[in-house]
Amino acid sequence: EKVLTQSPATLSVSPGGRATLSCRASQSVSDNLAWYQQKPGQPPRLLIYGASTRAIGVPARFSGSGSGTEFTLTISSLQSEDFAIYYCQQYSNWPQTFGQGTKVEIK
Amino acid sequence: EVQLVQSGAEVKKPGESLKVSCKGSGYIFSNYWIAWVRQMPGKGLEWMGNIYPGDSFTKYSLSFEGQVTISVDKSISTAYLQWSSLKASDTAMYYCARSESGALDYWGQGTLVTVSP
């Protein structure tokens, strides 16, 4: 099983600031990595797939990069609606796995 | 518009059985995998398994294999997650999601399952 480790667990950022979230895989997942945003009481929302492709309707301030074992989600200018928990997921093989999440909170 | 609509919240006792549903619409249901994801209270996301409605091929996470059954009725565009004997530790929110080449692009609203004596 490929383990995904996200860091940091919590990230405190001021509105308008930049957030950089990390996801590290225990083995290569190539570019078979997605990022999701989850707000309280809501299902997750797909943000990024294929490591760097934004899903439909996702603002350009969200960007993904990386391949192999190291991945980054960057939110360039945090808006109030971006404070949430973010998860990475690998789908390179079975079993698919999620990271434990990074909470982005208001500083 | 792609939609996945899940059945409503359930309150059950330990040992009882349960089947929750996930109905897809707005796309060709048979052509996309459906995933089930568990989220225990205050915790992260756990992949449980996937089913391909076209042929009912199913893959389970080792953590859930033998604990739940994933099935599908493609004639009514509905996937199911089933327990034969619930435990208190099954208390969680359960999500279905459509899998587009592995990434989960559309999600149901979630079904809260509470198991309590």
Side-chain angles (χ1 to χ4, degrees):
Chain A
E1 174 175 313
K2 295 181 180 179
V3 177
L4 298 181
T5 302
Q6 292 186 241
S7 61
T10 304
L11 187 59
S12 299
V13 184
S14 300
R18 183 183 186 91
T20 303
L21 289 66
S22 173
C23 176
R24 176 174 292 179
S26 60
Q27 304 168 58
S28 176
V29 300
S30 186
D31 63 352
N32 297 301
L33 189 109
W35 290 93
Y36 301 87
Q37 176 193 66
Q38 189 178 31
K39 299 178 183 179
Q42 296 184 19
R45 171 196 179 195
L46 176 66
L47 297 176
I48 301 286
Y49 63 94
S52 60
T53 303
R54 276 190 300 277
I56 296 170
V58 174
R61 63 181 181 272
F62 291 92
S63 63
S65 63
S67 67
T69 62
E70 300 281 345
F71 300 88
T72 301
L73 174 70
T74 302
I75 313 171
S76 59
S77 177
L78 271 152
Q79 308 297 303
S80 57
E81 62 267 29
D82 300 335
F83 293 97
I85 298 176
Y86 293 83
Y87 296 95
C88 57
Q89 175 223 6
Q90 70 80 18
Y91 48 92
S92 68
N93 65 348
W94 311 100
Q96 299 178 3
T97 49
F98 290 94
Q100 80 279 19
T102 290
K103 182 178 181 180
V104 177
E105 63 176 26
I106 299 174
K107 187 174 183 178
Chain B
E1 179 196 5
V2 174
Q3 281 194 308
L4 294 171
V5 178
Q6 298 185 229
S7 48
E10 301 274 1
V11 180
K12 292 289 190 179
K13 293 184 175 4
E16 292 186 332
S17 63
L18 176 64
K19 193 173 189 178
V20 299
S21 66
C22 168
K23 183 173 177 60
S25 62
Y27 72 101
I28 301 174
F29 186 75
S30 294
N31 289 1
Y32 292 82
W33 292 82
I34 292 288
W36 286 95
V37 176
R38 183 175 79 173
Q39 189 166 39
M40 300 179 77
K43 301 299 184 183
L45 305 173
E46 300 174 88
W47 177 73
M48 301 176 71
N50 282 21
I51 190 164
Y52 188 72
D55 60 6
S56 298
F57 182 75
T58 308
K59 291 290 291 186
Y60 291 94
S61 163
L62 284 178
S63 300
F64 292 94
E65 190 151 27
Q67 309 304 308
V68 297
T69 301
I70 296 171
S71 61
V72 69
D73 184 343
K74 65 181 179 181
S75 70
I76 55 171
S77 301
T78 301
Y80 301 96
L81 178 64
Q82 182 173 3
W83 295 259
S84 59
S85 180
L86 285 159
K87 302 185 279 288
S89 57
D90 293 318
T91 294
M93 182 71 81
Y94 293 88
Y95 294 104
C96 66
R98 190 182 82 162
S99 176
E100 169 63 83
S101 301
L104 305 179
D105 60 351
Y106 290 91
W107 292 67
Q109 82 277 20
T111 296
L112 180 62
V113 174
T114 303
V115 184
S116 179

